[in-house]
Amino acid sequence: MLQKIEGIVIRASSYGETNKIVTIFTREKGKLAFMARGAKKPNSRLSAVTQPFTHGSFLVRFGSGLGTMQQGEMLTSMRHIREDLIMSAYAAYMAELLDKSVEEKRANPYVYELLEQTFHYLNEGYDAEILTHIFEMKMLQVIGLRPELSSCVNCGSQEGRFAFSIRENGLLCHRCFGIDPYLLQLSTAALKLLRLFYFFDLHRLGKINVKEETKKEIRMAISLYYDEYSGIYLKSRRFLEQIEKMQLIFDQKEDDD
């Protein structure tokens, strides 16, 4: 029986010389995988709609095993993401993080809205790194991780100076710093943004303007936290780190000139 579904392509892999296995994340049915026969052929009607990050409407047939994709209609091409190497790298990282974090055929409208809105902002040219960090912070609760970001994880205080403790899973106030000798002494701006990214409504995102030093702090804290607790290894992370290093070298050369 044929059904129409709407979703976003989060992964497409080759199967044989002409076919693809396409993984789509949908609002109603969660993560689904389909065989798209002939999709690798340039003149195939499935070629464009099976590109990664495409938001589309798909006519599919479910089976006892892998379903098949019959037709597809592009709703949003996300063309600007695919045409930009750096944007594509960030999008691939977020798609892989989602792929590794959710089970198949389990609906999660919250995650669907998060992915769709994040890709929409990315396609419009918003800061790719900050969007990725927002996505990472909001995916924590999906994975089952809940750092304490509202008060001191040890004494409950909401006043004073704070640092971020990976080991204690949240903030520590200055009175409790001695509990963790390895806590991260992040700037006030970085701590504020970590808290904001975790709690705020993404639809209310305005202009993004974050200093490079603050970005570096946020990147370090999130990376260390994921390494400690998530158990998720992402191939796209290594490629993204290489691009970030190249971008840093390029920016430094521009400053020198």
Side-chain angles (χ1 to χ4, degrees):
M1 180 179 177
L2 292 175
Q3 294 186 37
K4 182 173 284 190
I5 61 170
E6 179 181 333
I8 299 169
V9 177
I10 59 172
R11 178 158 48 95
S13 54
S14 298
Y15 187 83
E17 294 184 2
T18 60
N19 308 322
K20 289 182 184 179
I21 295 178
V22 183
T23 303
I24 301 170
F25 194 74
T26 72
R27 187 197 308 272
E28 291 81 11
K29 297 180 182 293
K31 184 173 69 173
L32 304 169
F34 300 95
M35 174 71 73
R37 300 189 183 282
K40 289 178 63 178
K41 296 178 179 179
N43 59 347
S44 169
R45 52 196 170 91
L46 295 177
S47 177
V49 295
T50 55
Q51 293 295 315
F53 324 131
T54 298
H55 172 212
S57 175
F58 305 91
L59 190 64
V60 299
R61 186 186 301 276
F62 290 94
S64 56
L66 189 66
T68 57
M69 181 184 297
Q70 304 294 321
Q71 297 177 24
E73 177 186 359
M74 190 178 296
L75 300 178
T76 310
S77 69
M78 302 297 177
R79 180 171 60 87
H80 296 300
I81 296 178
R82 290 204 305 273
E83 290 178 349
D84 186 287
L85 177 62
I86 294 175
M87 289 168 61
S88 292
Y90 281 106
Y93 170 75
M94 288 186 277
E96 189 182 6
L97 175 58
L98 185 150
D99 192 13
K100 294 288 182 67
S101 302
V102 300
E103 297 180 13
E104 289 191 8
K105 301 178 181 179
R106 179 170 294 184
N108 192 324
Y110 166 78
V111 176
Y112 180 82
E113 289 286 344
L114 173 63
L115 182 68
E116 183 181 29
Q117 188 63 52
T118 302
F119 277 7
H120 173 74
Y121 282 137
L122 187 60
N123 195 56
E124 287 190 341
Y126 279 61
D127 190 309
E129 184 175 355
I130 292 300
L131 284 174
T132 301
H133 294 327
I134 294 172
F135 189 85
E136 289 173 316
M137 291 301 292
K138 293 194 171 301
M139 283 298 292
L140 288 177
Q141 55 190 302
V142 178
I143 300 170
L145 300 174
R146 292 175 174 80
E148 176 54 68
L149 297 171
S150 298
S151 59
C152 177
V153 70
N154 184 58
C155 72
S157 175
Q158 296 182 343
E159 298 179 353
R161 292 181 293 110
F162 289 89
F164 187 66
S165 171
I166 303 293
R167 191 177 74 180
E168 299 298 322
N169 193 32
L171 299 179
L172 285 176
C173 71
H174 65 277
R175 290 170 290 272
C176 301
F177 281 177
I179 292 175
D180 181 7
Y182 304 105
L183 56 77
L184 303 179
Q185 293 279 7
L186 303 178
S187 66
T188 301
L191 288 172
K192 182 179 179 181
L193 287 172
L194 282 175
R195 187 184 302 116
L196 179 68
F197 293 169
Y198 186 76
F199 288 112
F200 92 117
D201 181 357
L202 184 59
H203 289 86
R204 299 176 61 185
L205 182 65
K207 185 178 179 181
I208 302 173
N209 187 13
V210 180
K211 295 179 179 179
E212 287 302 320
E213 302 82 37
T214 307
K215 286 183 181 181
K216 185 177 179 180
E217 291 182 272
I218 294 171
R219 180 166 64 246
M220 175 187 65
I222 294 177
S223 179
L224 288 172
Y225 189 85
Y226 264 86
D227 288 346
E228 179 69 21
Y229 290 110
S230 73
I232 297 174
Y233 171 76
L234 303 176
K235 294 180 180 178
S236 56
R237 176 74 249 178
R238 293 183 64 187
F239 181 59
L240 190 56
E241 288 172 349
Q242 291 174 350
I243 288 181
E244 288 170 346
K245 288 179 181 177
M246 290 172 60
Q247 185 67 37
L248 182 61
I249 294 171
F250 178 77
D251 292 340
Q252 289 175 341
K253 285 184 176 180
E254 281 199 330
D255 293 339
D256 294 340
D257 293 341

